[in-house]
Amino acid sequence: MPEPPDARTKQQLWLIPREGAATHQAVAIVALRLRTWKTYSYAVPPGLRTDVEPGAAVQVPYGRRDRMVEGWCLRRTVAAWDNSLKPIASATPAASPLTPALVELALWISEYYACPPGFTLEAFIPAPLRVRREKR
């Protein structure tokens, strides 16, 4: 006959992983093409793992209404996250002109000159390759 759980075990039931518990998945740190200083974490779907590399242009949902916004992948890591991360919608499969070294340089410039990282990365893209901004 199994032993009844003691009081200490009952208090620690919240430690048992359940649905929605953290798992180790691919996560991308993204700088958005907006006037924001923050970088955001997004889940990398299995179909986009080869396309999402540092310097790649990505489309991600942003805000409560999940409006699609352009951005650039700064880093890709495998980290613990729960189901609250939004997935990346699409990534540009073509080779990006931003190498990891240029991404680091752009982040340093962004910090040193107090400019949002998305704007700094946009300045690193050659003019013929830039996507024109949509006006509201």
Side-chain angles (χ1 to χ4, degrees):
M1 188 163 163
E3 278 186 315
D6 61 345
R8 185 173 182 200
T9 307
K10 285 183 183 178
Q11 291 173 355
Q12 294 182 353
L13 283 178
W14 61 272
L15 292 174
I16 298 172
R18 295 190 180 135
E19 185 178 336
T23 59
H24 291 298
Q25 298 288 337
V27 175
I29 310 299
V30 176
L32 301 179
R33 193 178 176 189
L34 297 173
R35 191 176 301 271
T36 180
W37 297 95
K38 294 170 82 177
T39 57
Y40 296 89
S41 298
Y42 286 91
V44 180
L48 294 176
R49 287 206 178 132
T50 57
D51 295 337
V52 177
E53 294 292 330
V58 294
Q59 290 269 338
V60 294
Y62 176 73
R64 292 183 190 162
R65 291 188 233 164
D66 288 340
R67 139 177 102 106
M68 292 313 240
V69 176
E70 295 136 359
W72 289 273
C73 176
L74 302 178
R75 280 184 294 287
R76 191 180 81 182
T77 60
V78 174
W81 62 278
D82 59 7
N83 293 333
S84 64
L85 283 182
K86 296 177 184 179
I88 293 175
S90 66
T92 306
S96 174
L98 294 176
T99 62
L102 284 177
V103 169
E104 282 194 40
L105 177 63
L107 291 176
W108 179 84
I109 290 171
S110 171
E111 185 178 326
Y112 189 81
Y113 290 105
C115 179
F119 289 172
T120 307
L121 286 163
E122 185 177 359
F124 272 68
I125 302 291
L129 299 179
R130 286 188 199 156
V131 176
R132 296 186 59 75
R133 287 180 180 255
E134 295 178 12
K135 294 190 178 189
R136 293 201 231 180

